[in-house]
Amino acid sequence: MEDKQSAASAVTPVSKGRHRAAHIVGFIIAGALLALGAGFLGSWLEDQWLGQGASPLTVLKSSADDGNKVVTAEEVSITAVAKKVSPSIVSIISASKQATTFYNQTVQQQSAGTGMIVSSNGYILTNKHVVDGASAVTVILANGKTYRNVEVVGTDPLNDLAFLKISNVSNLPSVTLGDSKTIRVGQSVVAIGNALGQYQNTVTSGIISGTGRPVVAASDESGTSQESLTDLIQTDAAINSGNSGGPLLNLKGQVIGINTAIAQDANNIGFSIPIGAAKGLLAHVIKTGKVERPYLGIRYISITPEVRAQYKLPVDRGDYVTAEGGAAVVSGSPAAKAGLRAGDIITKVNGYSVGEVASVSSLISEYEPGDTVQLTVLRGAQTLTKSVTLAAYNG
């Protein structure tokens, strides 16, 4: 466990995208207003045409000039991504039983989300909140084939991730995992998901709006169930209820994030967990069937301008090893064995800079227990290299 201490930075309240019910009143009202407006517009245009004796409109006369046939390079890319990846995206229906106060009855509830096939033999990655409390999980492939009573192999104890397994299958189309360490703000992205739990494999596009975002996400409308998430990718690609667990993709069709949450009372502000935070777990699950998170054993604060000023630190990026209560370096942990100390600043993990797009915890998550990583550490005026063999977290 790498415990990220709370700094003086605000977090964004958001809701997670598991869908329970969809409402269409807005569509009906909009349709009525549109019809009313069309009546006035048609009457006005008729008066204009009759008064002038000719139509003032310029109308397409030849199919050769049809603007719908003009295809931009970005459209080609988005279409190619959708065609390539959609067969690997699944809809997830989770059923749960909930007690009521009415004669102690139990009711069956269903919720919908999205997942992605990550191995040809049936492993699926999704969000933990999509299957939380589920008594039965159903997976529907893009071609309509349905698998019932799908196994929940396990969940990430520190992140909103879950791993499912369809039994006795082979040759399923699987996604390609990209690199979330090299993403950039302004980069074009594509999201695919089971929007509103009704519109399977809905494709939306946008850009990366920001990286390293902290949020507090609620998985229900009441907001009673909340989870703090860090290092998220912010995007303006439309992410709706039911999209949870679906992929955020670059224009090569590689997964760079897992769509997780949307900001309440905002337009086009969605959040995705970087795929790097799941890579080590995925590799370990597929290899061993067990969910074991790699463990370093430090508590830290990510350096911001406020943190730098408060602690009088010499750099503006990195993770500062410190703890307000308890030990900054856990006794007997891999970090302790490698000689890390309170007051160290970790600036790189295997050569990747900490703080540009990810924290130490996210960068470590790309590896499995037993892997060895090189940490670049600033200690006073010295720059040190520490070799650390990661352990399995048993929290």
Side-chain angles (χ1 to χ4, degrees), residues 35 65 81 84 177 302:
D65 297 324
V81 167
K84 173 184 176 182
L177 304 186
S302 291

Side-chain angles (χ1 to χ4, degrees), residues 19 48 79 110 179 213 216 280 283 316 320-321 343 356 360 367-368:
H19 171 76
Q48 296 300 309
T79 301
Q110 283 194 338
D179 191 348
R213 302 302 201 208
V216 175
D316 56 9
Y320 178 53
V321 180
E356 288 189 4
V360 167
Y367 303 95
E368 296 182 64

Side-chain angles (χ1 to χ4, degrees), residues 337-358:
K337 292 175 182 178
L340 268 71
R341 304 175 188 171
D344 285 346
I345 299 172
I346 302 175
T347 58
K348 291 183 181 179
V349 176
N350 275 357
Y352 286 97
S353 295
V354 174
E356 288 189 4
V357 294

Side-chain angles (χ1 to χ4, degrees), residues 26-103:
F27 294 108
I28 296 170
I29 294 173
L33 291 175
L34 180 61
L36 180 63
F40 284 116
L41 179 61
S43 177
W44 179 82
L45 286 174
E46 183 179 11
D47 289 342
Q48 296 300 309
W49 294 345
L50 290 176
Q52 297 179 12
S55 170
L57 301 178
T58 301
V59 181
L60 174 69
K61 295 182 175 60
S62 169
S63 62
D65 297 324
D66 187 355
N68 294 328
K69 296 180 179 179
V70 176
V71 182
T72 67
E74 185 171 8
E75 284 180 285
V76 171
S77 296
I78 293 170
T79 301
V81 167
K83 183 177 181 180
K84 173 184 176 182
V85 180
S86 286
S88 305
I89 309 307
V90 302
S91 296
I92 298 173
I93 308 298
S94 60
S96 60
K97 294 179 180 179
Q98 185 171 344
T100 69
T101 57
F102 185 71
Y103 293 107

Side-chain angles (χ1 to χ4, degrees), residues 14 21 23 68 88 92 114 127 130 136 146 151 154 162 187 197 218 252 262-263 268 271 304 306 313 321 346 365 392:
V14 299
H23 303 284
N68 294 328
S88 305
I92 298 173
T114 305
N127 283 140
V130 170
T146 300
E151 177 189 3
Q187 176 181 336
K252 286 287 188 180
I262 51 178
N268 296 339
F271 299 94
T304 64
E306 294 79 13
L313 302 178
V321 180
I346 302 175
S365 295

